[in-house]
Amino acid sequence: MDIKKLLSEMTLAEKLGQLTQLNAVFFNAENDADITGPAAKLHIGEDDISLTGSVLNFTSAALMKKTQDAAMARQPHHIPLLFMQDVIHGFRTVYPIPLAMGCSFDETLVEDCARMAAKEAAVSGVHVTFSPMMDLARDARWGRVMESPGEDPTLNGRVGAAFVRGYQGDGTDPYDIPACVKHFAAYGAPEAGRDYAPVELSEHTLREYYLPAYRACVDAGVKMIMPAFNTIGGVPCTANRHLLDTILRREWGFKGVVISDYHAHHEMVKHGVAENDKEAVALAVNAGCDIEMMSTATYRFAKELLDEGRITMEQIDAATLRVLELKNQLGLFENPYRVASEKEEKRLHLCPEHRALARRAAEESAVLLKNDGVLPFSKALRKVAVIGPFAKEQGIKGNWAGNGRDEDCVTVLAGVRTLLPDAEVATTRGCSWELGETKVPDLEEAVELASEADAVVLCLGEYQHHSGEGNSRATLTLSPAQMTLARAVLDANKNTAVVLFNGRPLVIPELSAIAPAILDMWQPGTEGGNAAARLLFGDANPCGKLSMSFPYHEGQCPIYYSHLHTGRPVANPKEITQTGYCSRYMDVPVDPLYVFGHGLSYNTYTYDNLTLSADVIHPGEELEVAVTVKNEGKRYGKETVQLYIRDKVASVARPVKELKDFVKLELEAGESAAVIFTITEEDLRFHTVSGAFDSEAGEFEVMVGKSSDELLAATFRLEK
Ligand code: NOJ
């Protein structure tokens, strides 16, 4: 399609329609009533609906086709709609939440999962997914940490790029769907962890730590980007010219489409930076926002703004052209359904191959936080009790699970029963997962089952809709009821492993002290129960590593391993420091309960012989950092080897350590492997005190190990 010619034939209203996105529900004949109902409240009339260029929130190939037919018939140039959807961690087959996927430290796995989601979504008519989310997640109170790979810029960037590759492919496969990185920028740092709250970050912190993961997705070729709801320095991201124009378009060379978040234009009025919707449009267009999601202010007010000379026709044309270009790249003008097909939905959704991948992802992203030796349980056990509010809970797929359904999810109980067909597997819920619950109606039964069992699987945690958008929490502990249940069950049977379900790091110091083993499954998706059973009984070997720190206490948030130095560090950050004018808490340690990068296996891996190929490097040279890792255990396993760097003296304070590279090794029992990382001067660059992105000569510490806390170290110098 010659889209430039098409553009030249379009009316202004048609162009503005392409810059509007509405809910698919408004397009369906049977929903016409909505136009005078909810649609009218949003100032959405028949015209807007006829000319709208894209939709979100629809459910199936059949609905997509019907909507596409109706829309194209009404659109004067028969321009097809773009169908967008939040395909965040799976479509119908759901894999673990992105925070868990971060814990897999496995880019191939992430790419494979994204590919699977793209396929399932594409056959249901999805053209674009609003994923990946690259907001640095350092405050577990914020409910949306579940959507981010975690707290580290390097890890997030690598996982983000893998998501983009998985969704988008090379653009030639019919199942490729464009990705949309979000929420640009720094939505993960809201004041006090409260969703939609303001963000205050220096330009240095923004560029050094918060922007790199979005940038990694842009460099991976992501086709769309979504500005965040929040303000930074008082400027809403949707109206942030510095972000959307200077950084994104000019510095990073982004050529794709910018789409606002849901109703964000109108929220500028609520932020108090625009007097009304018309002013909001002026701000958004001049900042560089192309599509307005779920409101029609651009459609209604752009003409007046053009007449007043406050926005230009060039801006409208350029934005419209970007949208048409995306449609053209997808081949929608020739084939408006693309690969939407009811038959293919039946073939692909929840097919055995997809379930197997979802199970593997759940296994590889689970983190064994603690194990005094009770795990793995023997498969020869005769009597097992599966107890707790998540024992037979199917709501473990997590928030933002696309078209995923609880009824498709395998519970822990079902997983254990399938794995141990000859064992007697008893169960009771004990109590509910409600926040703040105090009552444990089945306490007696739970204690009885626990004392009679050979082993207990105690399933505790946070319900799937207690994290995610709008679900910030000030307390991150398990409810009093869950803790009462835990104490009683652990008292009744020491051969107990806790299985946690959670969308964020929880505050569990007491549980961690009294439970002999804790396996964190996060919200593992469709195959969660099978994965948990296989991990607990040794058919799978845990290999996930935390991508986000577990605080001792909510009062430590935000907490992350790569913090800056302080002038008054505590002598031992792992202990409560009673006295002194130092950077401490009087009641909890400075360090988290479980650190970034931590995660156990049924094997022990030893690290030895850290050697550097040189003591000094210069720009253009490579430094090889070698280490030997040995599997001292009796099973095959995977170990994520992590490399951190500390810049000892620089023109601005640098983090105590920063992850620069990692590799996930596969090792047979008794096998050892030499791992070689390569460091160059480019890896040592940062935003210096003058604002330049550069390295500074001096001494660096390089650390390699199994977590951010258990590391071998050596030093080298950079000379320039
Ligand atoms: C609001 C959320 O912030 C965003 O992540 C999502 O993509 C849109 N709604 C569309 O559902």
Side-chain angles (χ1 to χ4, degrees), residues 403-713:
N403 282 20
R405 298 182 193 160
D406 288 357
E407 73 224 41
D408 299 330
C409 291
V410 179
T411 65
V412 178
L413 180 65
V416 172
R417 285 191 168 145
T418 307
L419 197 68
L420 307 182
D422 300 328
E424 195 185 311
V425 184
T427 189
T428 179
R429 203 168 176 233
C431 62
S432 87
W433 38 246
E434 289 298 339
L435 295 176
E437 179 63 77
T438 53
K439 293 185 284 307
V440 190
D442 311 324
L443 188 63
E444 261 177 47
E445 191 191 359
V447 170
E448 199 182 311
L449 292 185
S451 39
E452 286 167 359
D454 301 327
V456 181
V457 177
L458 180 57
C459 305
L460 306 173
E462 179 189 53
Y463 187 56
Q464 56 184 356
H465 297 305
H466 291 156
S467 63
E469 188 175 352
N471 297 329
S472 293
R473 292 178 59 188
T475 45
L476 303 176
T477 47
L478 294 175
S479 66
Q482 292 202 51
M483 284 310 297
T484 305
L485 178 69
R487 287 181 206 110
V489 168
L490 287 161
D491 224 27
N493 193 330
K494 296 282 172 256
N495 202 28
T496 295
V498 171
V499 180
L500 271 189
F501 292 88
N502 44 325
R504 51 153 70 81
L506 296 173
V507 167
I508 51 164
E510 183 192 344
L511 187 68
S512 171
I514 61 177
I518 304 178
L519 176 68
D520 192 349
M521 293 300 299
W522 303 105
Q523 272 136 5
T526 314
E527 283 287 314
N530 283 332
R534 283 170 47 82
L535 288 161
L536 291 164
F537 290 88
D539 274 13
N541 193 351
C543 61
K545 303 270 188 179
L546 285 183
S547 61
M548 197 176 169
S549 313
F550 263 59
Y552 264 102
H553 191 279
E554 300 84 351
Q556 293 177 307
C557 293
I559 185 165
Y560 49 98
Y561 81 94
S562 59
H563 56 84
L564 302 189
H565 291 281
T566 147
R568 296 193 175 189
V570 292
N572 186 352
K574 296 196 185 317
E575 278 170 16
I576 299 172
T577 303
Q578 297 295 346
T579 53
Y581 291 98
C582 55
S583 185
R584 65 170 175 140
Y585 297 106
M586 295 170 74
D587 42 6
V588 287
V590 168
D591 272 3
L593 176 63
Y594 293 114
V595 297
F596 176 88
H598 166 75
L600 304 171
S601 154
Y602 296 146
N603 296 324
T604 301
Y605 300 99
T606 51
Y607 286 65
D608 256 316
N609 299 328
L610 179 68
T611 46
L612 308 188
S613 59
D615 296 335
V616 175
I617 59 164
H618 301 91
E621 292 175 359
E622 290 187 343
L623 176 73
E624 287 191 347
V625 180
V627 72
T628 308
V629 182
K630 182 165 187 213
N631 176 0
E632 306 278 2
K634 295 200 167 58
R635 313 162 172 259
Y636 158 87
K638 294 185 181 179
E639 167 73 346
T640 298
V641 183
Q642 304 158 43
L643 179 138
Y644 297 85
I645 281 194
R646 175 179 157 199
D647 186 345
K648 287 192 164 176
V649 180
S651 59
V652 292
R654 306 285 298 124
V656 291
K657 62 190 80 144
E658 284 180 295
L659 184 75
K660 287 286 176 184
D661 204 352
F662 57 86
V663 62
K664 195 162 180 176
L665 280 185
E666 293 188 54
L667 291 171
E668 295 295 340
E671 189 185 351
S672 55
V675 178
I676 300 176
F677 294 103
T678 304
I679 292 171
T680 67
E681 174 269 338
E682 289 183 19
D683 298 318
L684 308 176
R685 294 184 188 170
F686 64 100
H687 294 88
T688 67
V689 74
S690 66
F693 187 64
D694 201 0
S695 60
E696 290 175 350
E699 196 168 70
F700 293 80
E701 193 169 359
V702 55
M703 294 156 269
V704 180
K706 56 175 73 172
S707 81
S708 62
D709 218 17
E710 290 168 88
L711 297 161
L712 301 174

Side-chain angles (χ1 to χ4, degrees), residues 56 86 130 144 182-183 226 229 261-262 293 400 469:
L56 80 166
D86 288 284
F130 295 128
R144 301 195 79 167
K182 66 189 187 186
H183 307 88
M226 185 188 292
F229 282 128
D261 204 344
Y262 206 99
M293 185 195 288
W400 275 136
E469 188 175 352

Side-chain angles (χ1 to χ4, degrees), residues 21 56-57 85-86 88 129-131 133 135 144 147 180 182-183 187 195-196 226-229 260-263 293-294 400 469:
Q21 174 164 109
L56 80 166
N57 291 344
Q85 189 77 305
D86 288 284
I88 308 295
T129 171
F130 295 128
S131 171
M133 189 266 229
D135 307 333
R144 301 195 79 167
E147 290 176 60
C180 174
K182 66 189 187 186
H183 307 88
Y187 182 33
D195 206 2
Y196 316 121
M226 185 188 292
F229 282 128
S260 81
D261 204 344
Y262 206 99
H263 227 213
M293 185 195 288
M294 264 319 277
W400 275 136
E469 188 175 352

